[in-house]
Amino acid sequence: MLSGERLVTAAGEGGPAAAGMTADGAAETPAAVPGAGMVADSGGAAGPQSRTSDIVPGPGGVMTDEVGVVTGDLTLRTEYADGKVTLRVQYKDADEWYAVTGASVALADPAGLDAVHGVAVGLLHRPEG
């Protein structure tokens, strides 16, 4: 995971993203980690899932559907539900989330959520401008 990134579970707690799994995706021998090898997000592998990271966008900020451009310290959430991935941002530690304009697309395999989130962070996190 990237710095400032956390795995969000149904209970809202962070945790390892791949406990009990090897790099090639094959299950290891039983691990002494509660819930090892289980999907932490609610709904199983195809159910709702999300990833979040703190970001600082470059000049111009991030355009949202609800309030226009947001700037400063933000949190980016990449959500997967019902075969679709959606990006949302919020001012860091605020309650309201805003849909990133043009950032909702079909995603056939929920296993791609981490990759999509990584690309989104790479594109939007520009603390140096």
Side-chain angles (χ1 to χ4, degrees), residues 17-129:
M21 300 298 288
T22 61
D24 66 1
E28 291 180 343
T29 56
V33 177
M38 302 297 290
V39 175
D41 301 275
S42 64
Q49 301 177 46
S50 67
R51 305 290 185 269
T52 60
S53 295
D54 293 333
I55 64 168
V56 177
V62 177
M63 179 62 77
T64 68
D65 294 344
E66 297 85 357
V67 296
V69 174
V70 292
T71 60
D73 293 338
L74 305 174
T75 300
L76 172 70
R77 181 171 69 196
T78 306
E79 303 170 342
Y80 175 84
D82 300 324
K84 186 166 90 171
V85 67
T86 303
L87 300 181
R88 298 185 191 282
V89 292
Q90 72 175 173
Y91 289 105
K92 190 169 162 78
D93 299 322
D95 293 328
E96 300 83 18
W97 287 94
Y98 308 114
V100 176
T101 300
S104 184
V105 67
L107 181 66
D109 186 351
L113 180 62
D114 287 330
V116 172
H117 183 71
V119 168
V121 169
L123 290 170
L124 296 175
H125 182 58
R126 298 282 183 224
E128 303 299 320

